Amino acid sequence: MERTFIAIKPDGVQRGLISEIVSRFERKGYKLVAIKLIVPSKEFAQKHYHDLKDRPFFNGLCDFLSSGPVLAMVWEGEGVIKYGRKLIGATDPQKSEPGTIRGDLAVVVGRNIIHGSDGLETAKDEIALWFEPKELV
Ligand code: ATP
Ligand code: MG
């Protein structure tokens, strides 16, 4: 069954949005197969966002991801990669539709509270980066 990596970034955790966000995935019908709270190192954040290493915001983005606890999760279900990103909404919360997580709960792109894998290969790579196989139930 299809799986995706979802993370609530330090701003989402700090703002107390864990239950709000987890409940949206639960109510949709997806299955939680792994979850843990961790503070990633900057090196780890750089690995996670390696595709963006040439972007001007890369350094600030990695500093931010490693600035506090992140809730790392794996969710499972039919179409969860694509539909999970639909639940999350557009990258820039100014463009996210109301009803999406970023549309309802975030304002600026640098503090958009949640990450979701953008494809099958990325999902596999991100799950392997953040979790040991034995952590997946
Ligand atoms: P994520 O990978 O976090 O789920 P995304 O796939 O919607 O987000 P990406 O293009 O992968 O968007 O960008 C990764 C993250 O980098 C964004 O979530 C956002 O926090 C940050 N980011 C993207 N564009 C900008 C920008 N122009 N300025 C500042 N930060 C940005
Ligand atoms: Mg992305």
Side-chain angles (χ1 to χ4, degrees), residues 49 52 85 115-116 118 126:
Y49 278 129
L52 301 172
R85 284 179 62 91
H115 164 82
D118 62 12
E126 291 175 353

Side-chain angles (χ1 to χ4, degrees), residues 9 49 52 57 61 85 91 102 109-110 112 114-116:
K9 299 178 187 180
Y49 278 129
L52 301 172
F57 54 82
L61 177 63
R85 284 179 62 91
T91 306
R102 288 171 176 159
V109 70
N112 62 2
I114 182 167
H115 164 82

Side-chain angles (χ1 to χ4, degrees), residues 18-130:
I18 290 175
S19 59
E20 164 78 36
I21 292 170
V22 167
S23 81
R24 292 188 184 211
F25 280 83
E26 281 188 318
R27 283 186 290 151
K28 173 68 180 170
Y30 294 129
K31 182 184 164 200
L32 183 62
V33 296
I35 187 165
K36 65 181 170 188
L37 195 60
I38 64 168
V39 182
S41 66
K42 182 152 181 196
E43 292 67 37
F44 192 91
Q46 287 165 340
K47 272 188 203 161
H48 172 75
Y49 278 129
H50 68 274
D51 282 351
L52 301 172
K53 65 178 185 308
D54 297 326
R55 306 296 290 276
F57 54 82
F58 180 69
N59 191 51
L61 177 63
C62 294
D63 275 338
F64 179 63
L65 193 72
S66 57
S67 69
V70 170
L71 191 75
M73 298 176 278
V74 178
W75 286 88
E76 180 181 282
E78 201 170 311
V80 69
I81 298 173
K82 200 167 175 197
Y83 204 89
R85 284 179 62 91
K86 222 168 175 173
L87 291 178
I88 288 170
T91 306
D92 181 353
Q94 297 287 331
K95 296 181 183 137
S96 321
E97 294 297 325
T100 65
I101 291 167
R102 288 171 176 159
D104 289 347
L105 304 169
V107 179
V108 292
V109 70
R111 296 290 183 274
N112 62 2
I113 67 173
I114 182 167
H115 164 82
S117 304
D118 62 12
L120 200 55
E121 282 311 307
T122 333
K124 283 202 179 104
D125 291 349
E126 291 175 353
I127 291 168
L129 176 66
W130 288 80

Side-chain angles (χ1 to χ4, degrees), residues 99 132 134:
E132 305 278 347
K134 66 174 190 296

